[in-house]
Amino acid sequence: ALPICCIPETKNYRLRDTIIIGAGLTGLTIAYYLTRKGCDVEVIEQQSRTGGQICTYHESGFTFESGPNTGIISHPEVAELLEALSPICRLETAREASKQRLIWKGNRFHPLPSGLFNAITTPLFSTKDKLNILCEPFRSRGNNPDETIGELVQRRLGTSYLHYAVDPFISGVYAGDPMRLVTRHALPKLYQLEQTYGSFIRGGIAKSFSPRNQRDRLATRKVFSTHGGLSNLTGALEQAIGNKRFSLGATSTSLIPCERGWLVCFTDANGKVDQIRCRKVITTIPAYALPPLLPFIPTEQMNRISNLTYAPVMQVCVGLRNTYGKEFPAFGGLVPSCEQKSVLGILFPSACFSNRSPKDGALYSYFLGGTRHPELLTKSNDEITTLIGTTMHEMLNYPVGIIPDLIRIFRHEKAIPQYESSSADRFTTINELQKQYPGLVLAGNLKGGIGMADRIKQAVEIARKK
């Protein structure tokens, strides 16, 4: 039986149809589409602003992000949302030259191959693995549902492809370890490619000839931001939803299941206790924040959700007004873990998008930490500044002792969820709880993918079910 709360006869509570907990990209997108359908929605957020991890800064002619720098238009829902928000929010796709990805090996960056000739001549992969890849279409299909990304790549492509293609890619996306991330959860499309076609190569060829309808073509897989930074996306969503539908600065939020609905209790920004009676509650907050929000869920059940590992990440934004004639027409450079460098990678936002730095200047975003080196987040700002200066000389060939015109350090202790072997239990438990407690939806990046496109797609699907 469900634990049912007792509603006071005085009815000291407000009424809403749907409450959304969390004003990040997922929560904002859900609220946006629900309000368009005429649903009575309120969004409750602990921070004093909306946007969650997305936050854009404008300083001294530089425009930089403290959270996600880019997204990928990998689902039609992304293009549809941005079209709906225009012209308030304008899509900006990365310049063509920035399609190039760089991989560090030895003492310099090398382009990641994008064609047959480059794949043959690149020093990134061993001759043995280059030859063995011809046998990839004939290798047996995997039968371990919990095979990690690292195990899958080693089995099908070889160790050098793992070290100098997949490992840095996983560092860039998850800040994680490919030997711990389970393929069917962390990279479900890659998993399905092998399971459906028996081969990456055969699957890639087959999909390239698969018919695509007009909506499917919206998923261009282009790297995107919005003009002026990603906060313009979340800001446009907030504006469209309406200020009256937000309770910001809310603390001590908790849910109580009631007869035919829910009671949401929280302390507002003025220190006043507020209560809302609603039919439906959608949570979009991280897994580790769920226990105090859902106190009625048994500890054993909750542990299967809240034990999700999050990678710690430090982002260091570096701005230069003088680039000494250096140009890096690429998306960025990634660093394989086997190279034993201090950074996971460096993005080149000013090479991708307009107005991210003053004319003739450049903006870089360094990423450090991850699941392999969480200790880097404990270094002082002075230590990090010194490390970045050294790295700019050693990896980008800037003069020794260069002093950036701008350096801003952002530490995220729990940044990116890791879809490891515990994920299946987490997904099952979430489904069980949603059936057990009608009107409760557990969303956010604890399931369904971690990218911006995944967040938008999940939000649209939830809003459609209303």
Side-chain angles (χ1 to χ4, degrees):
L2 300 184
I4 304 298
C5 74
C6 297
I7 303 296
E9 290 186 6
T10 55
K11 294 188 177 180
N12 292 324
Y13 54 83
R14 299 186 286 118
L15 295 175
R16 290 286 197 188
D17 179 79
T18 301
I19 294 296
I20 298 169
I21 311 294
L25 181 58
T26 310
L28 290 173
T29 306
I30 296 170
Y32 170 73
Y33 281 108
L34 287 180
T35 54
R36 291 184 76 187
K37 296 169 69 173
C39 182
D40 183 24
V41 173
E42 184 163 330
V43 183
I44 298 175
E45 168 58 47
Q46 185 174 8
Q47 296 188 71
S48 59
R49 64 170 187 85
T50 66
Q53 292 294 328
I54 294 174
C55 188
T56 306
Y57 293 81
H58 305 279
E59 186 176 339
S60 303
F62 296 96
T63 295
F64 53 97
E65 311 280 355
S66 65
N69 279 247
T70 62
I72 299 177
I73 308 177
S74 53
H75 303 302
E77 289 84 354
V78 178
E80 291 167 343
L81 174 64
L82 290 165
E83 175 64 25
L85 292 173
S86 65
I88 299 173
C89 172
R90 292 184 295 132
L91 169 69
E92 184 176 12
T93 55
R95 298 185 179 107
E96 284 299 308
S98 66
K99 284 184 177 180
Q100 181 173 248
R101 268 68 169 171
L102 306 176
I103 305 293
W104 184 269
K105 186 175 184 179
N107 59 1
R108 69 183 183 91
F109 281 116
H110 301 268
L112 187 66
S114 58
L116 179 60
F117 177 77
N118 291 337
I120 294 172
T121 59
T122 180
L124 292 175
F125 311 129
S126 69
T127 302
K128 176 184 175 183
D129 286 345
K130 290 176 185 177
L131 293 174
N132 282 343
I133 201 171
L134 298 174
C135 301
E136 192 275 337
F138 309 103
R139 294 196 174 102
S140 300
R141 182 186 285 107
N143 55 16
N144 176 12
D146 289 328
E147 186 175 36
T148 66
I149 296 170
E151 291 168 340
L152 171 63
V153 172
Q154 278 187 314
R155 176 171 58 81
R156 297 211 68 89
L157 301 178
T159 302
S160 66
Y161 284 96
L162 171 62
H163 286 169
Y164 289 99
V166 174
D167 175 275
F169 168 76
I170 292 300
S171 290
V173 175
Y174 278 94
D177 184 348
M179 301 307 293
R180 293 176 58 184
L181 295 168
V182 174
T183 311
R184 68 186 174 110
H185 304 312
L187 294 179
K189 290 183 178 179
L190 185 67
Y191 177 78
Q192 289 300 327
L193 205 62
E194 185 195 31
Q195 293 301 306
T196 303
Y197 301 98
S199 159
F200 299 156
I201 294 176
R202 289 209 308 267
I205 293 172
K207 290 183 74 65
S208 68
F209 287 101
S210 298
R212 302 177 72 201
N213 60 36
Q214 187 172 354
R215 184 168 185 267
D216 289 339
R217 294 192 187 96
L218 295 176
T220 60
R221 298 206 59 80
K222 290 184 177 180
V223 172
F224 81 92
S225 179
T226 53
H227 284 273
L230 288 169
S231 281
N232 285 344
L233 168 58
T234 53
L237 288 168
E238 178 184 359
Q239 181 179 336
I241 295 163
N243 291 335
K244 293 182 179 180
R245 296 188 180 276
F246 289 92
S247 287
L248 303 179
T251 59
S252 304
T253 305
S254 64
L255 308 181
I256 305 174
C258 304
E259 188 176 0
R260 295 186 301 280
W262 295 84
L263 184 68
V264 183
C265 306
F266 63 96
T267 301
D268 67 19
N270 298 316
K272 179 183 176 182
V273 175
D274 200 351
Q275 296 182 334
I276 304 174
R277 181 80 181 268
C278 62
R279 178 183 64 87
K280 190 172 186 177
V281 176
I282 304 168
T283 76
T284 65
I285 61 177
Y288 56 81
L290 285 173
L293 179 70
L294 308 171
F296 53 89
I297 294 179
T299 301
E300 182 181 354
Q301 231 177 346
M302 177 54 72
N303 285 345
R304 295 200 291 270
I305 300 175
S306 61
N307 66 358
L308 174 59
T309 299
Y310 284 76
V313 174
M314 179 190 297
Q315 180 174 183
V316 184
C317 297
V318 178
L320 296 176
R321 295 184 179 279
N322 180 5
T323 64
Y324 300 87
K326 299 184 185 301
E327 293 185 4
F328 298 95
F331 177 74
L334 296 173
V335 183
S337 59
C338 64
E339 290 290 326
Q340 300 295 310
K341 303 295 287 186
S342 298
V343 301
L344 299 172
I346 312 169
L347 297 186
F348 309 148
S350 55
C352 296
F353 305 111
S354 60
N355 301 318
R356 299 304 165 109
S357 67
K359 185 180 180 182
D360 300 324
L363 176 70
Y364 303 101
S365 288
Y366 285 73
F367 292 88
L368 299 84
T371 58
R372 288 190 177 104
H373 294 288
E375 73 282 356
L376 289 176
L377 272 75
T378 66
K379 288 185 175 293
S380 69
N381 285 357
D382 287 344
E383 289 175 309
I384 293 300
T385 299
T386 300
L387 185 155
I388 293 300
T390 301
T391 303
M392 292 189 73
H393 169 63
E394 293 179 349
M395 303 185 75
L396 300 182
N397 297 317
Y398 278 103
V400 176
I402 185 171
I403 299 176
D405 296 289
L406 175 138
I407 181 164
R408 296 293 179 265
I409 301 170
F410 302 97
R411 303 168 193 266
H412 305 283
E413 297 291 339
K414 295 181 178 179
I416 306 174
Q418 304 294 293
Y419 286 12
E420 299 175 348
S421 58
S422 62
S423 296
D425 279 345
R426 183 171 68 259
F427 301 155
T428 299
T429 303
I430 288 171
N431 291 333
E432 290 173 352
L433 289 173
Q434 290 179 157
K435 291 178 181 178
Q436 186 177 356
Y437 297 96
L440 175 65
V441 177
L442 303 180
N445 62 16
L446 47 78
K447 66 172 186 178
I450 66 168
M452 291 178 61
D454 299 319
R455 301 294 84 244
I456 293 171
K457 180 182 179 182
Q458 181 191 74
V460 172
E461 291 173 347
I462 290 171
R464 282 175 179 164
K465 293 178 181 177
K466 197 270 177 184

PDB file of all heavy atoms in Angstrom, residues 82-91 226-227 232-233 235-237 239-240:
ATOM      1  N   LEU A  82      15.061  24.205 -31.196  1.00  0.00           N
ATOM      2  CA  LEU A  82      15.747  25.445 -31.544  1.00  0.00           C
ATOM      3  C   LEU A  82      14.981  26.248 -32.590  1.00  0.00           C
ATOM      4  O   LEU A  82      14.984  27.480 -32.556  1.00  0.00           O
ATOM      5  CB  LEU A  82      17.159  25.130 -32.023  1.00  0.00           C
ATOM      6  CG  LEU A  82      18.097  24.639 -30.906  1.00  0.00           C
ATOM      7  CD1 LEU A  82      19.351  24.011 -31.490  1.00  0.00           C
ATOM      8  CD2 LEU A  82      18.463  25.790 -29.984  1.00  0.00           C
ATOM      9  N   GLU A  83      14.321  25.566 -33.484  1.00  0.00           N
ATOM     10  CA  GLU A  83      13.484  26.261 -34.464  1.00  0.00           C
ATOM     11  C   GLU A  83      12.306  26.929 -33.769  1.00  0.00           C
ATOM     12  O   GLU A  83      11.943  28.080 -34.086  1.00  0.00           O
ATOM     13  CB  GLU A  83      12.982  25.265 -35.517  1.00  0.00           C
ATOM     14  CG  GLU A  83      11.993  25.843 -36.524  1.00  0.00           C
ATOM     15  CD  GLU A  83      12.603  26.940 -37.389  1.00  0.00           C
ATOM     16  OE1 GLU A  83      13.840  26.953 -37.579  1.00  0.00           O
ATOM     17  OE2 GLU A  83      11.836  27.796 -37.884  1.00  0.00           O
ATOM     18  N   ALA A  84      11.722  26.242 -32.803  1.00  0.00           N
ATOM     19  CA  ALA A  84      10.575  26.798 -32.078  1.00  0.00           C
ATOM     20  C   ALA A  84      10.969  28.022 -31.254  1.00  0.00           C
ATOM     21  O   ALA A  84      10.151  28.924 -31.041  1.00  0.00           O
ATOM     22  CB  ALA A  84       9.969  25.733 -31.175  1.00  0.00           C
ATOM     23  N   LEU A  85      12.212  28.067 -30.790  1.00  0.00           N
ATOM     24  CA  LEU A  85      12.666  29.172 -29.934  1.00  0.00           C
ATOM     25  C   LEU A  85      13.216  30.352 -30.717  1.00  0.00           C
ATOM     26  O   LEU A  85      13.499  31.402 -30.129  1.00  0.00           O
ATOM     27  CB  LEU A  85      13.740  28.669 -28.964  1.00  0.00           C
ATOM     28  CG  LEU A  85      13.278  27.686 -27.891  1.00  0.00           C
ATOM     29  CD1 LEU A  85      14.470  27.145 -27.127  1.00  0.00           C
ATOM     30  CD2 LEU A  85      12.271  28.341 -26.948  1.00  0.00           C
ATOM     31  N   SER A  86      13.417  30.186 -32.030  1.00  0.00           N
ATOM     32  CA  SER A  86      13.937  31.294 -32.826  1.00  0.00           C
ATOM     33  C   SER A  86      12.830  32.348 -33.013  1.00  0.00           C
ATOM     34  O   SER A  86      11.640  31.999 -33.010  1.00  0.00           O
ATOM     35  CB  SER A  86      14.418  30.784 -34.188  1.00  0.00           C
ATOM     36  OG  SER A  86      13.328  30.286 -34.943  1.00  0.00           O
ATOM     37  N   PRO A  87      13.160  33.624 -33.171  1.00  0.00           N
ATOM     38  CA  PRO A  87      14.510  34.188 -33.247  1.00  0.00           C
ATOM     39  C   PRO A  87      15.094  34.587 -31.891  1.00  0.00           C
ATOM     40  O   PRO A  87      16.190  35.137 -31.831  1.00  0.00           O
ATOM     41  CB  PRO A  87      14.296  35.414 -34.126  1.00  0.00           C
ATOM     42  CG  PRO A  87      12.925  35.893 -33.737  1.00  0.00           C
ATOM     43  CD  PRO A  87      12.121  34.637 -33.463  1.00  0.00           C
ATOM     44  N   ILE A  88      14.363  34.317 -30.785  1.00  0.00           N
ATOM     45  CA  ILE A  88      14.886  34.694 -29.466  1.00  0.00           C
ATOM     46  C   ILE A  88      16.209  33.992 -29.200  1.00  0.00           C
ATOM     47  O   ILE A  88      17.151  34.567 -28.665  1.00  0.00           O
ATOM     48  CB  ILE A  88      13.856  34.348 -28.369  1.00  0.00           C
ATOM     49  CG1 ILE A  88      12.568  35.122 -28.598  1.00  0.00           C
ATOM     50  CG2 ILE A  88      14.418  34.642 -26.986  1.00  0.00           C
ATOM     51  CD1 ILE A  88      11.450  34.719 -27.671  1.00  0.00           C
ATOM     52  N   CYS A  89      16.248  32.722 -29.583  1.00  0.00           N
ATOM     53  CA  CYS A  89      17.466  31.928 -29.436  1.00  0.00           C
ATOM     54  C   CYS A  89      17.858  31.427 -30.823  1.00  0.00           C
ATOM     55  O   CYS A  89      17.062  30.751 -31.483  1.00  0.00           O
ATOM     56  CB  CYS A  89      17.210  30.761 -28.481  1.00  0.00           C
ATOM     57  SG  CYS A  89      18.549  29.577 -28.375  1.00  0.00           S
ATOM     58  N   ARG A  90      19.068  31.747 -31.260  1.00  0.00           N
ATOM     59  CA  ARG A  90      19.481  31.391 -32.617  1.00  0.00           C
ATOM     60  C   ARG A  90      20.537  30.297 -32.599  1.00  0.00           C
ATOM     61  O   ARG A  90      21.568  30.406 -31.929  1.00  0.00           O
ATOM     62  CB  ARG A  90      20.021  32.632 -33.355  1.00  0.00           C
ATOM     63  CG  ARG A  90      18.953  33.679 -33.644  1.00  0.00           C
ATOM     64  CD  ARG A  90      19.519  34.821 -34.462  1.00  0.00           C
ATOM     65  NE  ARG A  90      20.536  35.565 -33.726  1.00  0.00           N
ATOM     66  CZ  ARG A  90      21.712  35.888 -34.225  1.00  0.00           C
ATOM     67  NH1 ARG A  90      22.057  35.517 -35.451  1.00  0.00           N
ATOM     68  NH2 ARG A  90      22.589  36.576 -33.502  1.00  0.00           N
ATOM     69  N   LEU A  91      20.263  29.255 -33.337  1.00  0.00           N
ATOM     70  CA  LEU A  91      21.194  28.147 -33.472  1.00  0.00           C
ATOM     71  C   LEU A  91      22.485  28.604 -34.128  1.00  0.00           C
ATOM     72  O   LEU A  91      22.477  29.391 -35.068  1.00  0.00           O
ATOM     73  CB  LEU A  91      20.548  27.038 -34.321  1.00  0.00           C
ATOM     74  CG  LEU A  91      21.450  25.892 -34.790  1.00  0.00           C
ATOM     75  CD1 LEU A  91      21.874  25.043 -33.610  1.00  0.00           C
ATOM     76  CD2 LEU A  91      20.724  25.044 -35.842  1.00  0.00           C
ATOM     77  N   THR A 226      24.518  28.122 -29.288  1.00  0.00           N
ATOM     78  CA  THR A 226      23.600  29.180 -29.692  1.00  0.00           C
ATOM     79  C   THR A 226      24.371  30.488 -29.693  1.00  0.00           C
ATOM     80  O   THR A 226      25.354  30.648 -28.957  1.00  0.00           O
ATOM     81  CB  THR A 226      22.384  29.283 -28.749  1.00  0.00           C
ATOM     82  OG1 THR A 226      22.844  29.412 -27.397  1.00  0.00           O
ATOM     83  CG2 THR A 226      21.510  28.049 -28.871  1.00  0.00           C
ATOM     84  N   HIS A 227      23.967  31.423 -30.534  1.00  0.00           N
ATOM     85  CA  HIS A 227      24.657  32.711 -30.623  1.00  0.00           C
ATOM     86  C   HIS A 227      24.692  33.360 -29.245  1.00  0.00           C
ATOM     87  O   HIS A 227      23.664  33.519 -28.590  1.00  0.00           O
ATOM     88  CB  HIS A 227      23.943  33.626 -31.623  1.00  0.00           C
ATOM     89  CG  HIS A 227      24.206  33.267 -33.053  1.00  0.00           C
ATOM     90  ND1 HIS A 227      25.293  33.743 -33.753  1.00  0.00           N
ATOM     91  CD2 HIS A 227      23.540  32.445 -33.906  1.00  0.00           C
ATOM     92  CE1 HIS A 227      25.278  33.256 -34.987  1.00  0.00           C
ATOM     93  NE2 HIS A 227      24.226  32.456 -35.110  1.00  0.00           N
ATOM     94  N   ASN A 232      21.761  31.338 -23.611  1.00  0.00           N
ATOM     95  CA  ASN A 232      20.668  31.902 -24.401  1.00  0.00           C
ATOM     96  C   ASN A 232      19.597  30.860 -24.698  1.00  0.00           C
ATOM     97  O   ASN A 232      18.429  31.201 -24.879  1.00  0.00           O
ATOM     98  CB  ASN A 232      21.200  32.500 -25.704  1.00  0.00           C
ATOM     99  CG  ASN A 232      21.903  33.826 -25.469  1.00  0.00           C
ATOM    100  OD1 ASN A 232      21.753  34.440 -24.416  1.00  0.00           O
ATOM    101  ND2 ASN A 232      22.687  34.274 -26.434  1.00  0.00           N
ATOM    102  N   LEU A 233      19.997  29.595 -24.752  1.00  0.00           N
ATOM    103  CA  LEU A 233      19.019  28.518 -24.936  1.00  0.00           C
ATOM    104  C   LEU A 233      18.154  28.363 -23.693  1.00  0.00           C
ATOM    105  O   LEU A 233      16.920  28.380 -23.772  1.00  0.00           O
ATOM    106  CB  LEU A 233      19.746  27.208 -25.259  1.00  0.00           C
ATOM    107  CG  LEU A 233      18.909  25.922 -25.214  1.00  0.00           C
ATOM    108  CD1 LEU A 233      17.724  26.000 -26.166  1.00  0.00           C
ATOM    109  CD2 LEU A 233      19.789  24.717 -25.539  1.00  0.00           C
ATOM    110  N   GLY A 235      17.847  30.466 -21.289  1.00  0.00           N
ATOM    111  CA  GLY A 235      17.151  31.726 -21.036  1.00  0.00           C
ATOM    112  C   GLY A 235      15.900  31.873 -21.881  1.00  0.00           C
ATOM    113  O   GLY A 235      14.871  32.374 -21.410  1.00  0.00           O
ATOM    114  N   ALA A 236      15.979  31.431 -23.137  1.00  0.00           N
ATOM    115  CA  ALA A 236      14.806  31.494 -24.014  1.00  0.00           C
ATOM    116  C   ALA A 236      13.709  30.563 -23.514  1.00  0.00           C
ATOM    117  O   ALA A 236      12.519  30.900 -23.573  1.00  0.00           O
ATOM    118  CB  ALA A 236      15.209  31.124 -25.443  1.00  0.00           C
ATOM    119  N   LEU A 237      14.095  29.394 -23.020  1.00  0.00           N
ATOM    120  CA  LEU A 237      13.109  28.468 -22.451  1.00  0.00           C
ATOM    121  C   LEU A 237      12.440  29.097 -21.232  1.00  0.00           C
ATOM    122  O   LEU A 237      11.210  29.033 -21.075  1.00  0.00           O
ATOM    123  CB  LEU A 237      13.787  27.149 -22.067  1.00  0.00           C
ATOM    124  CG  LEU A 237      14.215  26.245 -23.225  1.00  0.00           C
ATOM    125  CD1 LEU A 237      15.135  25.133 -22.732  1.00  0.00           C
ATOM    126  CD2 LEU A 237      13.000  25.647 -23.927  1.00  0.00           C
ATOM    127  N   GLN A 239      12.088  32.251 -20.524  1.00  0.00           N
ATOM    128  CA  GLN A 239      11.218  33.347 -20.955  1.00  0.00           C
ATOM    129  C   GLN A 239       9.901  32.819 -21.512  1.00  0.00           C
ATOM    130  O   GLN A 239       8.832  33.369 -21.218  1.00  0.00           O
ATOM    131  CB  GLN A 239      11.939  34.181 -22.009  1.00  0.00           C
ATOM    132  CG  GLN A 239      11.134  35.370 -22.526  1.00  0.00           C
ATOM    133  CD  GLN A 239      11.908  36.183 -23.564  1.00  0.00           C
ATOM    134  OE1 GLN A 239      13.135  36.157 -23.599  1.00  0.00           O
ATOM    135  NE2 GLN A 239      11.187  36.888 -24.418  1.00  0.00           N
ATOM    136  N   ALA A 240       9.986  31.744 -22.302  1.00  0.00           N
ATOM    137  CA  ALA A 240       8.770  31.181 -22.900  1.00  0.00           C
ATOM    138  C   ALA A 240       7.865  30.552 -21.851  1.00  0.00           C
ATOM    139  O   ALA A 240       6.639  30.583 -21.971  1.00  0.00           O
ATOM    140  CB  ALA A 240       9.158  30.145 -23.955  1.00  0.00           C
TER     141      ALA A 240
END
